[in-house]
Amino acid sequence: MSKSSTLIMPEPHLYQASDNVLQNRTIVITGAGDGIGRCAALTFAAHGATVILVGKTIAKLESIYDEIEKAGYPQAAIYPLHLGGAVMKDYQDMHDTLAKEFGVIDGILHNASILGDRKPIAQTDSTEWQEVMHVNVNAPFMMTKALLPLLEQSQDASIIFTSSSVGRVGRAYWGPYAVSKFATEGLMQTLADELANTSNIRVNAINPGATNTAMRRTAYPAEIPTVNPLPDQIMPLYLYLMGIDSKGINAQSIDAQPK
Ligand SMILES: NC(=O)c1ccc[n+]([C@@H]2O[C@H](COP(=O)([O-])OP(=O)(O)OC[C@H]3O[C@@H](n4cnc5c(N)ncnc54)[C@H](OP(=O)(O)O)[C@@H]3O)[C@@H](O)[C@H]2O)c1
């Protein structure tokens, strides 16, 4: 099957991972301290991965590190990084540290994002626009660029970007967040096409769908949070795309929840 195949399993949200599907894989997760990223870090570790926890609130990263240790999963690593201020040199330093400590990276889950204020484009301040773009688009670009040499060392590497339904069809008042998710889809597709026939790296995106996290509760304050699934309910697709069973799947943007 071609690496840029459009074939995907019909219901990836029903995927059942084997217990050790991520054994011996080293995976970077951004925004690992909370919400979907926290759940993905725990889930990947429970399936055998060594997870590198990237985030800006060290106490949250330490808490999940401890949880992973207590559960007896492979020892995690903490890499504190504020994506809002990080520049290319910070990602080159990250490359150098991870090259020294691990040598090979088998996956990146680009999960961290900020919502920004929801208001009309006409009222959006340019600083605010750039802040959202920096965290949601520039940071994944710079991190991917810096870590590509380590992903190229892997026999089977997977890069997952995180999209949103507002990154596919624009919606009033979702401003830079929506535009950043369109850009994320573009970055994913462009990189996937570039790497399709020259590497062992596949590149896809997940649209989590409405999920009960702090971000969702901020975006929809009037909504009853429990109408939406918790992050652990959307993990099948994350495991599928990060593990060997999705080998050959490339350039896809897939919903984590059924329609
Ligand atoms: N939840 C949903 O319904 C939904 C729907 C569609 C798409 N998504 C996407 O899914 C992903 C995860 O969302 P979520 O709901 O889990 O969000 P969340 O609960 O707000 O968690 C976001 C995580 O990103 C981290 N983060 C934010 N800014 C950062 C920065 N500058 N540097 C480093 N880390 C930073 C946060 O760290 P701190 O905790 O330290 O601030 C937190 O760990 C996002 O890409 C979001 O756009 C979510």
Side-chain angles (χ1 to χ4, degrees):
M1 184 164 50
S2 141
K3 285 185 179 174
S4 54
S5 167
T6 54
L7 180 69
I8 58 164
M9 58 184 295
E11 297 186 285
H13 57 277
L14 296 179
Y15 172 70
Q16 290 188 319
S18 62
D19 289 350
N20 59 358
V21 71
L22 299 181
Q23 202 166 28
N24 299 324
R25 289 182 186 232
T26 301
I27 299 169
V28 173
I29 301 161
T30 69
D34 213 333
I36 295 168
R38 182 182 214 284
C39 184
L42 270 173
T43 304
F44 290 170
H47 285 79
T50 297
V51 288
I52 300 167
L53 310 168
V54 180
K56 71 178 177 359
T57 309
I58 294 173
K60 289 186 182 182
L61 301 177
E62 286 174 345
S63 149
I64 182 162
Y65 177 97
D66 290 346
E67 208 171 315
I68 286 169
E69 187 168 58
K70 205 169 153 195
Y73 303 149
Q75 187 180 26
I78 292 178
Y79 199 94
L81 192 64
H82 193 320
L83 304 180
V87 295
M88 200 60 221
K89 166 81 170 66
D90 298 301
Y91 295 101
Q92 278 151 3
D93 291 346
M94 184 181 192
H95 164 274
D96 295 348
T97 303
L98 299 189
K100 201 164 142 231
E101 296 295 325
F102 299 98
V104 178
I105 298 294
D106 304 288
I108 305 178
L109 172 59
H110 290 294
N111 163 81
S113 280
I114 53 174
L115 191 57
D117 286 345
R118 289 195 302 128
K119 55 180 141 175
I121 294 284
Q123 290 169 20
T124 300
D125 179 76
S126 72
T127 307
E128 191 185 330
W129 177 278
Q130 283 166 28
E131 190 188 342
V132 174
M133 289 299 177
H134 195 76
V135 173
N136 296 6
V137 183
N138 300 350
F141 154 67
M142 288 187 281
M143 187 181 293
T144 303
K145 177 177 157 74
L147 299 188
L148 267 180
L150 304 182
L151 291 153
E152 279 162 357
Q153 301 301 314
S154 172
Q155 296 296 308
D156 173 46
S158 174
I159 302 174
I160 302 174
F161 290 92
T162 306
S163 187
S164 167
S165 51
V166 295
R168 294 169 178 171
V169 180
R171 199 180 302 161
Y173 315 130
W174 282 77
Y177 177 83
V179 177
S180 77
K181 295 300 184 179
F182 273 87
T184 298
E185 296 264 351
L187 174 57
M188 178 277 285
Q189 289 180 20
T190 304
L191 184 64
D193 199 36
E194 285 171 5
L195 297 178
N197 297 311
T198 56
S199 78
N200 287 322
I201 308 170
R202 61 211 138 82
V203 187
N204 296 284
I206 291 178
N207 169 25
T211 309
N212 186 359
T213 66
M215 181 183 282
R216 178 73 191 188
R217 294 190 292 273
T218 302
Y220 293 89
E223 185 179 67
I224 298 167
T226 50
V227 299
N228 297 314
L230 288 165
D232 63 315
Q233 291 170 262
I234 61 167
M235 284 300 117
L237 179 60
Y238 286 77
L239 283 167
Y240 173 64
L241 284 183
M242 200 47 92
I244 189 81
D245 292 329
S246 61
K247 200 168 171 68
I249 303 296
N250 194 42
Q252 302 302 305
S253 182
I254 308 176
D255 293 342
Q257 299 185 40
K259 291 262 182 252

